[in-house]
């Protein structure tokens, strides 16, 4: 057996596990990976950069015995029972003080359960949300570790070295206690859902409504990516519009079926927000639109029944310049409001679930390497540095100024979509969130009266403290 001691171990050498481990090796750490499949361990070694120290093994015993202590072992296998199975297989082989890391797409309550299970055994546990996909894993992801803080300090030199960098700052930092890392990653994915949906709605208005072709859309989105909307999702959208179809004719985007897939993380965000009593309507609508997109045959029947809105002429073609300006401002505002909703959810989780999430760390690590990276995150980072306990970013004066400057365009575009039958629920729900949050008195006084009328649920008054009930006429 090799007497070499390795710095970092990986269980699972699929694409993500292999790429992350190669990244570790590229930064001067000795990396060892386990996989049952000899072909994967062999291809891992073959893919390593010359001069790095890597090894692939096909038993957990080989890997564990060749790791320096405290052992740092990351698991990257499918979420759920496979993670528990790996943990149980590792326990007889490792010692107190060793560190197990779950880097998969794990539901946060599973992470919390594992953390609580391993803590009495003296095993340190960290759940890390990893964003950036296969390429990010290899060249620099955004990482969101949460759990045992002592374990984070042991992992910190490696994770900071392999993370994406923004202005020299690594896009990784401690996210908080327990399952905070996977919770932050889940909310990241919810925000991702919302922004993607908003971009799709703006595309629909410009394409079907304004009559713009793919070349024109490419130029518009590319120009947007040079200004305040600069972000990864705007950048790749611009690229998508110029991709020719390598199987059929024309542009590829026009040949793609309008049924959106999902891995469930957006749904998790919505479900948990409901449980926590946090309003995230733009994220909720993004999940709903994916569900509606799956009803392709029903939607086609309904279109035939109610009349097609596939316009023979683009209804906004004569005012496409103003439409382009307004959709840019509307998209910018709605994206701000999507981040606002996600961060409000993290604030509540930090308090109610006792995760103690440093909110500035979340936006800091999202600035590079992840799917929702955007120049806007610098503004949010500054807001949290100024006031770390901000419960809602709409209360920050700088962000309030940005919203006030652009909210008129969001109103105009949402109204235009509603009047002309464009499904733009993301834009509309972003606007509703803003209007409700910035309204001092909502009409839910009537709702409270209704609840008391039919169910004696009581109500509160504006002029007296306490709970009241009325025998309604």
């Amino acid at each position: 057996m090799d007497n070499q001691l390795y710095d970092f171990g990986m269980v699972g050498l699929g694409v993500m596990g292999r790429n992350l481990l190669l990244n570790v090796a590229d930064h001067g750490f000795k990396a060892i990976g386990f996989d049952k499949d000899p072909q994967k361990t062999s291809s891992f070694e073959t893919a390593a950069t010359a001069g790095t120290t890597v090894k692939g093994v096909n038993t957990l015993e080989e890997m564990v015995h060749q790791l320096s202590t405290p052992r740092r072992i990351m698991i990257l296998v499918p979420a759920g029972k496979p993670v528990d199975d790996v943990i149980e297989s590792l326990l007889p082989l490792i010692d107190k003080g060793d560190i197990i890391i779950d880097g998969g797409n794990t539901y946060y309550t599973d992470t919390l359960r594992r953390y609580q299970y391993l803590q009495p055994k003296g095993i340190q546990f960290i759940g890390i949300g990893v964003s950036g996909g296969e390429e990010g894993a290899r060249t620099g992801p955004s990482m969101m570790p949460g759990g045992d803080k002592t374990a984070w300090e042991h992992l910190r030199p490696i994770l900071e070295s392999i993370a994406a960098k923004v202005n020299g700052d690594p896009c990784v930092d401690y996210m908080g206690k327990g399952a905070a890392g996977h919770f932050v990653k889940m909310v990241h994915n919810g925000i991702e859902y919302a922004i993607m949906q908003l971009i799709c709605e703006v595309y629909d208005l410009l394409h079907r409504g304004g009559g713009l072709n793919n070349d024109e859309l490419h130029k518009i989105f590319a120009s947007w990516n040079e200004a305040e909307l600069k972000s990864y999702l705007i950048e790749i959208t611009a690229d998508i519009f110029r991709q020719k179809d390598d199987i059929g004719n024309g542009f590829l985007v026009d040949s793609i079926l309008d049924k959106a897939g999902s891995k469930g993380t957006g749904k998790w965000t919505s479900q948990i927000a409901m449980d926590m009593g946090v309003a995230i309507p733009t994220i909720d609508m993004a999940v709903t639109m994916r569900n509606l997109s799956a009803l392709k045959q029903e939607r086609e029947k309904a279109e035939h029944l109610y009349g097609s809105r596939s316009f023979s002429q683009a209804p906004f073609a004569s005012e496409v310049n103003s439409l382009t300006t307004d959709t840019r401002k509307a998209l910018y505002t709605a994206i701000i409001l999507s981040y606002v909703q996600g961060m409000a959810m993290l604030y509540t989780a930090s308090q109610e679930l006792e995760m103690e999430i440093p909110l500035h760390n979340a936006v800091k690590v999202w600035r590079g390497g992840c799917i929702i990276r955007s120049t806007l995150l610098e503004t949010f980072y500054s807001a949290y540095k100024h006031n770390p306990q901000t419960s809602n970013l709409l209360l920050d004066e700088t962000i309030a100024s940005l919203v006030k400057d652009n909210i008129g365009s969001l109103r105009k575009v949402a109204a235009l979509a509603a009047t002309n039958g464009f499904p733009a629920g993301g834009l509309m729900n972003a606007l509703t969130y803003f209007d409700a949050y910035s309204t001092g008195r909502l009409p839910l006084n009537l709702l409270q009266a209704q609840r008391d009328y039919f169910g004696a649920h009581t109500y509160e008054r504006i002029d007296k403290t306490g709970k009241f009930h009325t025998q309604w006429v």
Side-chain angles (χ1 to χ4, degrees), residues 156-421:
R156 188 172 188 163
I158 295 177
L159 297 183
E160 287 187 343
S161 69
I162 69 172
K165 308 294 189 299
V166 174
N167 302 323
D169 292 334
C171 293
V172 60
D173 213 325
Y174 183 67
M175 292 293 114
K177 296 164 59 178
H182 279 131
F183 196 96
V184 171
K185 175 58 163 51
M186 177 193 70
V187 172
H188 163 286
N189 286 15
I191 296 169
E192 178 186 314
Y193 269 55
I195 296 173
M196 292 172 73
Q197 175 62 29
L198 293 167
I199 292 172
C200 290
E201 292 174 6
V202 166
Y203 154 64
D204 195 25
L205 286 163
L206 291 172
H207 181 52
R208 279 199 305 146
L212 296 176
N213 61 36
N214 290 314
D215 284 328
E216 292 167 324
L217 289 167
H218 163 71
K219 291 176 183 176
I220 287 170
F221 276 81
S223 69
W224 287 359
N225 195 49
E226 296 299 319
E228 71 272 17
L229 278 167
K230 184 175 178 61
S231 62
Y232 175 72
L233 286 171
I234 295 294
E235 176 188 342
I236 68 168
T237 302
D239 289 344
I240 287 167
F241 288 128
R242 65 177 179 181
Q243 180 69 47
K244 293 296 180 68
D245 191 342
D246 56 354
I247 297 176
N249 299 315
F251 290 89
L252 179 57
V253 68
D254 298 324
S255 297
I256 296 176
L257 187 66
D258 57 323
K259 287 174 63 174
S262 101
K263 292 185 177 179
T265 48
K267 179 180 71 175
W268 293 351
T269 314
S270 287
Q271 288 173 330
I272 294 164
M274 288 285 184
D275 292 340
M276 292 170 56
V278 179
I280 54 167
T282 314
I283 297 171
D284 294 340
M285 181 52 67
V287 175
T288 295
M289 290 303 292
R290 293 200 189 192
N291 293 339
L292 278 168
S293 79
L295 306 176
K296 177 66 173 176
Q297 291 183 331
E298 292 181 38
R299 289 190 288 111
E300 288 177 337
K301 290 178 182 178
E303 182 180 71
H304 178 74
L305 177 63
Y306 290 101
S308 173
R309 289 188 297 278
S310 298
F311 308 105
S312 57
Q313 288 187 325
F316 317 133
S318 62
E319 48 192 302
V320 71
N321 289 335
S322 61
L323 177 68
T324 301
T325 299
D326 280 326
T327 51
R328 173 179 58 81
K329 292 181 177 181
L331 179 59
Y332 181 60
T333 311
I335 288 174
I336 290 174
L337 293 166
S338 299
Y339 282 113
V340 164
Q341 292 166 47
M343 295 309 298
M345 185 172 177
L346 289 185
Y347 174 84
T348 302
S350 182
Q351 307 292 316
E352 295 186 2
L353 302 181
E354 299 180 348
M355 290 182 175
E356 298 179 13
I357 301 169
L359 299 178
H360 67 283
N361 279 354
V363 295
K364 181 180 78 171
V365 306
W366 292 346
R367 293 180 303 167
C370 74
I371 305 302
I372 64 170
R373 61 185 183 265
S374 163
T375 54
L376 266 171
L377 288 159
E378 294 290 351
T379 304
F380 301 150
Y381 185 49
S382 296
Y384 283 122
K385 293 294 283 185
H386 176 69
N387 182 3
Q389 297 305 313
T390 299
S391 60
N392 191 296
L393 285 167
L394 285 178
L395 300 176
D396 178 80
E397 290 185 3
T398 299
I399 293 165
S401 178
L402 294 175
V403 172
K404 285 190 286 187
D405 286 346
N406 293 281
I407 195 70
S409 289
L410 180 55
R411 292 193 191 286
K412 184 175 179 181
V413 170
L416 197 67
T419 303
N420 290 275

Side-chain angles (χ1 to χ4, degrees), residues 88-103:
E88 291 303 319
S89 297
L90 284 171
L91 282 176
L93 306 174
I94 61 178
D95 301 314
K96 288 184 177 181
D98 287 345
I99 303 165
I100 295 177
I101 310 144
D102 178 10

